[in-house]
Each structure stands twice: as C-alpha cells, then as structure tokens.
C-alpha cells in the first residue's frame, strides 16, 4: 500500500492511472445508465430535474476530465519510456505529483454529491452566468471548479514531463524519426495541452472570483461579458477534444500495423497530420458559438472544415497499412476496426456541424450528442479498450481471454451503435440536449426507447471486460515477451517489464526494433 | 419522413438546400471508406493471405488523398456561404418587429412596440404569432442567463445572451402551429421551457395587433 502511495516508477504510475480512470469510468457509466433509464419513456419520472441535471453534469465531466483524457496520458506514462528505450520519465516525482493531483481532483468533484444543494448541475461547459448563481447551488459547483482546476494543473505537469522525456531521454539510435507514432501523438497532444489548458485554469479562476469575490467578469449587468466566458472556455475546450483523440489515433496506428504484419503506411504523413490537426484545432474554438451571433462564423467554419483533411490522412494511412497486409482479427484489432467505423461517422457529422447554416438547426440538439459520442465513445473509448486488450499482457503479465474479448467487442459494437445512432434522428426531430424529460411527439418515444435498450447491451459488453480480467487473472497462463509480434521497443523487454525497463537494449537501427531483433538478417550490426 | 420535411420558412429553405448537399457528400465519403475497410477485412485476412507486403507509403497516392478532400471541403465551404449569407441578413425595413425575451423558464413576446405582451410559464407555454409571407424581425433578449430560441420546424435557432440583443429575420411560407423550445441549458426546468408558434394569415395577424391582442387568431 505504502509502495503504491510513494511510487515514482513510471510503470506504477501508469498502472495507478489505469486503475483510477477505469474506476471513474465505471461510475460515469452507471450515471449514463440512469440517464438512459430516465429517458427511456416520454414524461418519465424516475429521477427529477434536480438529480438529472447533476447526473448528466457529472457523467460528462467525469468522462472528459477523469477518463478519456487522463487514460491516454496514463497509458503514455507507462508506454513512452518503454517505446523510446528510457529507464523512466524525465521527472519521476513530478509524475507522482501529477497523478495524485488528478486523483484528488476527481474525488473533490464527486464530493459535491454530499454538498449542500447537491453536486454541480451546469453541464460540463458550466456556462456563466448560469454557473454564477450561488444561492441554492452552493458547494457542489465550487467543488466542481476546484476538482477541474486540480485536474488541469495535473495535465499541464504531465505534458511538460512527457515532452521532456521524449525530446531528451531517447535511447542511442532512437532518433525522433524512429519513435513510434503513439509517442509522436503524445508530443502533439502535450504541445496542445500547454497551449490550451492555461486558458481553462484562467477561466475557472475567474468563475470562482465572480462567484465569491464580486469579480463581475462575466456579469453583463456590471459591465462584464458572458461571451468572454465562452471564448476562454472553448479556447481550451476545442483543443481538449484533440487531447482526447490524438493519443487514441496513435494507439490505433500501432495496433493496425501490428495485426496487419506491415510497417506503418505513410509514417511521415501521419506525423505531419498530427501536428496539422493540433495547429488547426487552436483556431476553431468559436464553432461552438455559431448561434451566439457574436463571432465571425465564416472564418471558424472554414478552419473547422479544413480539419477534415488531416483527419482524412489518418484514415488513408490506416487503410494503407492494412492494404495487402495479412490481417489477424484478434480482439485489439477488432476494437481498432470498430474505432475506425465509429469515428468515421463522428468525423462526418462533425463536418456537417462545422457549417453554420446547418448548425443553426442542429446546435445543442441530440444530433450534437450523437456526434461527440461517435468521436469520444465509439472513437476514443473503443481505442481505450483496444489498448487495454493489446497492452494488458505487457502491463500486467496477464493475457486476456480471447473468446470473452470477442464477445466483449461484439456486445459493445452493437450496443454502442443501437444507443447512439438513433440520437442523430432525435436531434433532427428537435430534441434538445440536457433535458430530463420530453413530450411524446414525432418518433421521440420510439427512438429513445431503442437508445435505452442499446445502452443495456453496451453495459453488458463493458461488464464482460471486467469478468474477463477476473477469469484471465485466475487462469495464470504464462505470457511471452511479445505475444502479438509487435514491432516497437516495449515488446523487446519482459512482460511485465523489470525495474528500469531493459536489462540490455537491442541495437536500434529502424522504426521496428522488435522485428529487427527477431530477424537477425535485418540487423545492421 | 423527418429528413425530407418541407421547410416552412424562407430561411429554412436555404438551410435545407445546404443540408442535402452535405448529406450527399457525407454518404459518398462514408460509403467509400466503409467499402475500403471491409475490402481489407475480406481480401487481406490472414487465412486468405498468410504473407504481408512490406511497402511503407506511396507519396503520389498520399498527396492525392490530401488534394481530393481539400477540394471537397472548399466546395462545402462555398455551399455554406451561399446559404448562410442570406440567412444572416437582417432587412433594413422589416414588415414587423416582435420582441422575444427569455427568462428562467419561459418566454415573453411583445408586439406593436410593447403594446401587446404575452408571458408564459413552464406549465402554461405561451404562443408566438407570426404573419405568413411577411418578414418579421425577432429582437431576442434574456432577463437572466443564456437561453436559445429554437423552432425545429424553422430549422433555426439563435442564443439569447445577457447584455446583447440578437436580431434575425423569419419569413414563414405556410400557416400552421409549430413547437418551439429553449436549446441552451439554463437550469432546473430547462426541459419545460417551451412555446408554440402559430403562423397565421396576414389579415388575422393585423386584426390581432389592431385589437391589442383581443382578437386571438
């Protein structure tokens, strides 16, 4: 126990991140099931508006700040030093600080449930001036602000740590143009974090000052400006979307190449695309504000549409990697395929929402809920499970059961699509997001009923994953160093890796050191 | 069917044209990529192909896949501008002005420079009257937090934000009753912040104004 509390080894901190994010994931998933239960029928009264507004706020905030984003960085904690041949992160104690700030942030936010007036209930965007109302909503909102502040500081520290590690701690022979795409995506993610997260910390502090110290920054009656809140928030908020997807793009690239038995197609193009996405994402924030009438819509529309181009490059390179390969459809690869099929839908609906005339209708409707769940749920979350199945043997020395894994994927893929596909139609029919009830008009009752049924299947798939961990851990089958024939450096060392990661490092003379080590004729030494 | 619903305003018609073009592009790209992925799963399955090729890229193909999507989004941007510019236009001399004020959690509608005012509650949603085939300017404000004025049948919404008045034009092209609602989350009873829109004949609307709201259309 004390070992874990004082751990500074990157592998232990990576495991702590995985444990904490999966715990928050289970809590946020249960909240999602309550949402679907309430919305299963029109005019349902399972939970009232007080509870419902807290539930969707905590669900969204937890998934974004305490699951999807930190899992990517936590996995990077474990993998990046192994992939680049380093013994640890650049700043191990800073790394431990990051983790504990993050864990504390999540606990502080959920403590809001016990506060007077309940937890925060303003949505994950917490728009001012709604979030500035103090009476009757006391402690929960403040704890929410503090929790996110802690998480944002933690994220900034992690980004500094990861970039320093990748730039300065690479093994001999591991040039920048040889590091795996996952590590490249982490560089792009970290740069994005360093640009965007200070804006989040600033806007949360201003909100706190407004709430308790009479700041009036966002109070129109006193000369403040509510639009300023949206600018500061989305200047962080849109890059955050890419912080939640770039690491997962990297995961997919590694898995697709491994299970196609082929080198990554267009390595340089993938790196350029990652930085093009990161760069463009800094200039699109106001596409969340098309309906405010307060921003230059054509400019933000044009930049948002442009992001489709480098994202398309990613798809070209994944398909190019599979092209003429020898595809083995193991569980990680199935999740990677599921990621591509789902994320494509999320990307295409993103292009639709990037057009202001269409956004005038669809903004703040269930179409938007459909869109971002296809990117972050069908996208990032599927990649998260792909990563767990892929690296579980390396991280824990336990190989997950393949049969149960396939069932897990099947249930999740079907459940996810049955849940979230109908939401596009709900939005088109005029159902706004963040409503605890809806009238029985049009096809809303049918569509919501189908979505709620799908959520049960999705939950069964997720539950099966945890059953799989239990079954596989009890089976205690021996795990080889490289169970999937992976090509990057982490597959050269033992599963799980020893302290300081490598007993001896192989000669690194290409982007695929593990394959070179398996085939002596490819070794230049 | 909902996706081929006929728009009921002039502005909605503009949105619908752009919507169909975007849907066509979406279907084209979506089907093409799905076919490519499933082709790989079928043709390059390890059972069918035990050995993999080893190429690492193809610059002409990669450049083509930048150029083609780039051309596509430039065209989509042109489609966007063609619809958005006239939708955003506010006529200098509208046929009428209606004030819409949002508050937690209902709406207040003011006609004829405030001589007629209708106020709703979450449990008794108010009705907004608009004349058909006339351009009405909506002056949208809020009494408290952010709200958003959304009539799904008009395919249009605009936010109500403290400290500013948002002005936009609506030109209904057929009569009828439509559901309207707040789209921007505004607290406890956001879900019940609805209203009705009744688009009526120009003569009925004139009678409504002339009698100070006594002659409800």
């Amino acid at each position: 126990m004390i070992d874990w509390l004082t751990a500074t080894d990157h592998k232990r901190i990576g495991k702590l991140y995985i444990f904490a994010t999966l715990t928050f994931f289970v809590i946020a998933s249960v909240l999602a099931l309550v949402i679907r239960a309430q919305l299963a029928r029109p005019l349902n009264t399972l939970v009232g508006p007080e509870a419902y507004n807290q539930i969707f706020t905590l669900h969204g905030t937890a998934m974004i700040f305490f699951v999807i984003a930190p899992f990517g960085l936590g996995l990077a904690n474990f993998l990046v030093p192994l992939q680049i041949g380093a013994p640890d992160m650049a700043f191990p104690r800073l790394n431990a600080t990051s983790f504990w700030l993050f864990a504390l942030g999540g606990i502080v936010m959920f403590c809001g449930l016990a506060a007077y007036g309940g937890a925060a209930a303003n949505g994950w965007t917490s728009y001012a001036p709604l979030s500035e109302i103090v009476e009757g909503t006391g402690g929960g909102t403040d704890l929410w602000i503090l929790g996110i502040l802690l998480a944002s500081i933690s994220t900034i520290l992690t980004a500094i740590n990861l970039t320093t590690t990748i730039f300065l701690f690479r093994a001999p022979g591991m040039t920048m143009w040889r590091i795996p795409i996952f590590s490249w995506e982490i560089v792009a993610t970290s740069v994005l974090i360093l640009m965007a997260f200070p804006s989040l910390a600033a806007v949360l502090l201003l909100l706190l000052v407004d709430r308790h110290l009479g700041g009036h920054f966002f109070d129109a009656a006193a000369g403040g400006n509510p639009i300023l809140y949206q600018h500061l928030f989305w200047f962080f908020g849109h890059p955050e979307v890419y912080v939640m997807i770039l690491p997962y793009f990297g995961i997919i690239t590694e898995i697709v190449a491994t299970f196609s038995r082929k080198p990554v197609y267009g390595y340089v193009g993938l790196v350029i695309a990652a930085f093009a996405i990161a760069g463009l994402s800094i200039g699109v924030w106001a596409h969340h504000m098309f309906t405010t009438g307060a921003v230059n819509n054509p400019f933000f529309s044009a930049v948002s549409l442009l992001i489709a181009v480098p994202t398309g490059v990613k798809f070209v390179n994944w398909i190019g990697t599979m092209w003429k390969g020898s595809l083995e459809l193991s569980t990680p690869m199935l999740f990677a395929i599921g990621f591509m099929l789902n994320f494509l839908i999320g990307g295409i609906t993103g292009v639709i929402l990037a057009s202001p005339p269409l956004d005038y209708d669809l903004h703040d409707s269930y179409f938007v809920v459909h869109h971002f769940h296809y990117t972050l749920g069908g996208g990032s979350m599927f990649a998260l499970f792909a990563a767990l199945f892929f690296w579980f043997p390396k991280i824990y020395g336990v190989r997950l059961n393949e049969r149960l894994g396939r069932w897990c994927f099947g249930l999740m893929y079907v459940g996810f699509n049955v849940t979230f596909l109908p939401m596009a139609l709900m939005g088109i029919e005029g159902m706004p997001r963040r409503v605890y009830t809806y009238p029985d008009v049009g096809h809303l009752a049918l569509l919501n009923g189908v979505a709620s049924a799908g959520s049960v299947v999705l939950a069964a798939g997720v539950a099966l994953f945890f059953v799989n961990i239990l079954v596989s851990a009890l089976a205690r089958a021996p795990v080889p160093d490289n169970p999937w024939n992976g090509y990057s450096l982490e597959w050269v060392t033992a599963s799980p890796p020893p302290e300081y990661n490598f007993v001896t490092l192989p000669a690194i003379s290409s982007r695929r050191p593990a394959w070179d080590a398996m085939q002596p004729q490819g070794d230049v030494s | 069917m909902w996706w081929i619903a006929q728009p009921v305003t002039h502005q909605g018609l503009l949105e619908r044209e752009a919507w169909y073009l975007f849907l066509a592009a979406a279907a084209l790209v979506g089907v093409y990529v799905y076919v490519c992925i499933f082709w790989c799963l079928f043709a390059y399955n390890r059972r069918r192909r035990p050995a993999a090729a080893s190429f690492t890229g193809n610059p002409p193909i990669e450049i083509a896949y930048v150029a083609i999507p780039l051309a596509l989004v430039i065209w989509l941007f042109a489609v966007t501008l063609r619809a958005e510019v006239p939708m955003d236009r506010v006529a200098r001399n509208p046929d009428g002005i209606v004030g819409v004020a949002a508050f937690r959690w209902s709406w207040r509608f003011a006609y004829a420079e405030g001589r007629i005012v209708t106020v709703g509650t979450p449990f008794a949603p108010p009705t907004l009257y608009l004349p058909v085939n006339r351009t009405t300017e909506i002056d949208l404000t809020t009494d408290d937090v952010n709200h958003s004025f959304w009539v799904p049948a008009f395919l249009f919404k605009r936010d109500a934000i403290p400290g500013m008045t948002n002005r936009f034009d609506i030109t209904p092209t057929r009569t009828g009753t439509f559901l309207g609602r707040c789209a921007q989350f505004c607290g406890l009873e956001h879900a019940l912040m609805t209203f009705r829109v009744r688009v009526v004949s120009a003569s009925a609307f004139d009678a409504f104004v002339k009698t100070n709201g006594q002659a409800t259309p």
Side-chain angles (χ1 to χ4, degrees):
Chain A
M1 184 70 182
I2 296 291
D3 279 5
W4 285 99
L5 288 173
T6 57
T8 55
D9 175 53
H10 76 98
K11 295 184 292 297
R12 285 208 155 184
I13 291 180
K15 286 182 192 176
L16 284 170
Y17 266 109
I18 292 170
F19 175 77
T21 49
L22 287 182
T23 307
F24 289 132
F25 173 71
V26 170
I27 299 171
S29 302
V30 171
L31 294 174
L33 287 174
V34 179
I35 291 175
R36 280 323 316 167
Q38 163 66 14
L39 295 180
R41 289 185 298 128
L43 305 174
N44 202 0
T45 52
L46 180 74
V47 290
E50 295 90 352
Y52 187 86
N53 295 346
Q54 293 174 36
I55 288 168
F56 79 72
T57 299
L58 291 181
H59 164 74
T61 314
M63 283 294 193
I64 288 165
F65 288 103
F66 299 105
V67 181
I68 299 291
F71 180 89
L73 297 175
L75 186 70
N77 240 297
F78 190 96
L79 280 182
V80 161
L82 288 165
Q83 288 197 328
I84 64 172
D88 204 328
M89 293 278 279
F91 310 114
R93 275 173 294 190
L94 188 70
N95 203 18
T97 313
S98 283
F99 171 76
W100 291 107
L101 284 176
F102 152 77
L104 191 64
I107 292 165
V108 165
M109 183 190 76
F110 277 109
C111 278
L113 285 167
Y116 168 72
N122 304 311
W124 85 275
T125 52
S126 201
Y127 272 9
L130 177 66
S131 54
E132 301 199 326
I133 299 172
V134 178
E135 301 83 38
T137 63
T141 305
D142 294 315
L143 290 170
W144 183 91
I145 295 172
L146 287 175
I148 308 302
L149 259 178
L150 290 170
S152 70
I153 295 164
S154 148
T155 310
I156 291 169
L157 297 180
T158 302
I160 293 169
N161 213 340
L162 285 165
T163 28
T164 312
T165 307
I166 295 171
F167 286 150
L168 299 180
F169 278 63
R170 297 187 314 277
M174 183 58 82
T175 61
M176 277 310 273
W177 288 112
R178 283 178 185 161
I179 67 173
I181 289 293
F182 177 76
S183 289
W184 264 120
E185 299 282 0
I186 292 299
V187 175
T189 306
S190 301
V191 171
L192 212 45
I193 287 169
L194 295 178
M195 288 197 273
F197 272 67
S199 183
L200 172 69
V203 76
L204 291 174
L205 277 173
L206 295 181
L207 189 59
L208 211 54
V209 170
D210 260 19
R211 281 173 63 82
H212 296 296
L213 302 172
H216 302 300
F217 291 110
F218 310 123
D219 176 7
N225 191 345
I227 290 289
L228 177 65
Y229 180 92
Q230 296 191 27
H231 278 299
L232 289 173
F233 183 84
W234 288 115
F235 187 80
F236 143 78
H238 204 80
E240 165 74 347
V241 170
Y242 293 91
V243 169
M244 289 188 283
I245 198 70
L246 291 179
Y248 296 96
F249 282 170
I251 290 167
I252 296 305
T253 304
E254 306 297 335
I255 290 174
V256 167
T258 302
F259 289 94
S260 302
R261 289 243 175 106
K262 256 188 71 200
V264 171
Y265 179 91
Y267 175 98
V268 177
L270 274 167
V271 175
I272 294 172
F275 283 90
I277 291 172
L280 288 170
S281 80
I282 292 287
V284 300
W285 76 91
H287 70 209
H288 298 268
M289 301 162 66
F290 283 155
T291 61
T292 59
V295 295
N296 185 335
N297 287 0
F299 172 80
F300 288 102
S301 170
V303 185
S304 306
L305 288 169
L306 272 181
I307 284 204
V309 177
T311 313
V313 168
K314 299 273 174 193
F315 270 93
V316 171
N317 290 350
W318 293 325
I319 293 170
T321 303
M322 292 193 289
W323 206 260
K324 301 196 169 167
S326 170
L327 270 61
E328 186 189 342
L329 299 182
S330 301
T331 309
M333 185 64 169
L334 289 176
F335 272 102
I337 303 281
F339 166 95
M340 285 186 241
L341 299 177
N342 293 333
F343 186 80
L344 183 73
I345 295 176
I348 285 174
T349 50
V351 171
I352 290 173
L353 288 167
S355 176
L358 309 183
D359 188 67
Y360 288 167
D361 181 31
L362 301 169
H363 183 65
D364 272 333
S365 78
Y366 256 81
F367 192 87
V368 173
V369 180
H370 158 83
H371 157 70
F372 67 72
H373 279 96
Y374 266 86
T375 57
L376 297 178
S380 300
M381 185 188 69
F382 270 64
L384 184 157
F385 278 94
L388 283 171
F389 276 98
F390 187 52
W391 280 294
F392 212 88
K394 182 56 65 183
I395 298 173
Y396 298 99
V398 171
R399 190 168 175 166
L400 293 174
N401 183 297
E402 185 64 21
R403 231 175 110 87
L404 287 176
R406 283 160 195 263
W407 272 99
C408 173
F409 166 76
L411 288 170
M412 279 181 69
Y413 184 75
V414 171
F416 177 84
N417 281 285
V418 173
T419 306
F420 292 101
L421 209 52
M423 290 188 187
L425 303 176
M426 293 176 203
I428 291 167
E429 280 211 359
M431 181 160 165
R433 64 193 286 200
R434 297 170 171 168
V435 288
Y436 71 93
T437 189
Y438 57 92
D440 189 4
V441 294
H443 306 79
L444 288 187
L446 172 71
L447 294 169
N448 275 288
V450 170
S452 294
S455 70
V456 177
V457 180
L458 178 56
V462 172
L464 201 57
F465 172 74
F466 293 100
V467 172
N468 195 340
I469 292 182
L470 214 64
V471 169
S472 309
L474 292 174
R476 292 194 174 278
V479 174
D481 292 354
N482 192 355
W484 312 109
N485 278 318
Y487 57 87
S488 45
L489 205 51
E490 75 267 28
W491 301 109
V492 171
T493 191
S495 305
E499 214 170 343
Y500 306 114
N501 296 343
F502 298 94
V503 180
T504 50
L505 268 172
I508 298 160
S509 55
S510 80
R511 288 172 188 155
R512 294 168 291 280
W515 284 2
D516 295 343
M518 280 188 290
Q519 295 161 312
Q521 68 272 24
D523 200 318
V524 289
S525 56
Chain B
M1 297 300 266
W2 52 78
W3 55 82
I4 51 171
Q6 286 305 306
V8 298
T9 64
H10 173 65
Q11 291 77 11
L13 189 69
L14 295 164
E15 191 270 3
R16 214 51 348 181
E17 286 169 7
W19 168 249
Y20 288 131
L21 294 174
F22 267 76
L23 274 192
L28 193 75
V29 172
V31 168
Y32 178 68
V33 178
Y34 265 54
V35 166
C36 289
I37 292 173
F38 281 106
W39 170 254
C40 289
L41 297 185
F42 167 77
Y44 308 130
N45 197 297
R46 191 156 298 171
R47 264 173 259 152
R48 206 167 266 114
R49 269 178 75 95
S54 62
F55 57 89
T56 57
N58 185 330
I61 289 180
E62 290 175 60
I63 291 167
Y65 275 112
V66 171
I68 295 165
L70 189 63
L72 187 62
V73 296
I74 289 172
W75 175 69
L76 290 174
F77 185 60
V79 170
T80 294
L81 279 189
R82 204 181 64 159
E84 190 193 342
V85 171
M87 279 175 91
D88 285 347
R89 197 172 289 143
V90 182
R92 200 165 297 165
N93 297 307
D95 299 319
I97 297 178
V98 176
V100 174
F103 58 90
R104 304 210 305 163
W105 291 277
S106 195
W107 305 84
R108 194 170 60 244
F109 304 125
Y111 311 83
E113 285 151 3
R115 278 189 289 117
I116 310 170
V117 177
T118 322
V119 186
T121 74
F123 301 99
T127 301
L128 171 67
Y129 296 101
L130 292 175
V132 73
N133 291 329
R134 282 190 191 167
T135 297
T136 302
E137 181 186 307
I138 305 286
D139 289 0
L140 180 64
T141 57
T142 167
D143 292 354
D144 38 51
V145 303
N146 293 357
H147 297 277
S148 190
F149 173 94
W150 184 26
V151 183
F154 291 177
L155 307 170
F156 187 82
K157 76 169 63 65
R158 186 59 60 87
D159 294 356
I161 291 160
M164 62 188 272
T165 302
N166 253 328
R167 295 185 169 81
F168 54 91
D169 284 356
I170 290 179
T171 316
T173 51
R174 75 175 177 85
T175 56
T177 304
F178 311 102
L179 184 69
R181 50 191 328 153
C182 177
Q184 176 64 57
F185 181 69
C186 55
L188 196 62
E189 294 295 1
H190 164 62
L192 303 185
M193 193 170 156
T194 60
F195 58 97
R196 270 184 300 274
V197 182
R198 280 201 61 194
V199 176
V200 298
S201 70
S203 55
F205 186 81
D206 288 339
F208 170 69
V209 172
K210 203 168 287 174
T211 59
N212 281 341
Q214 298 302 309
T216 317

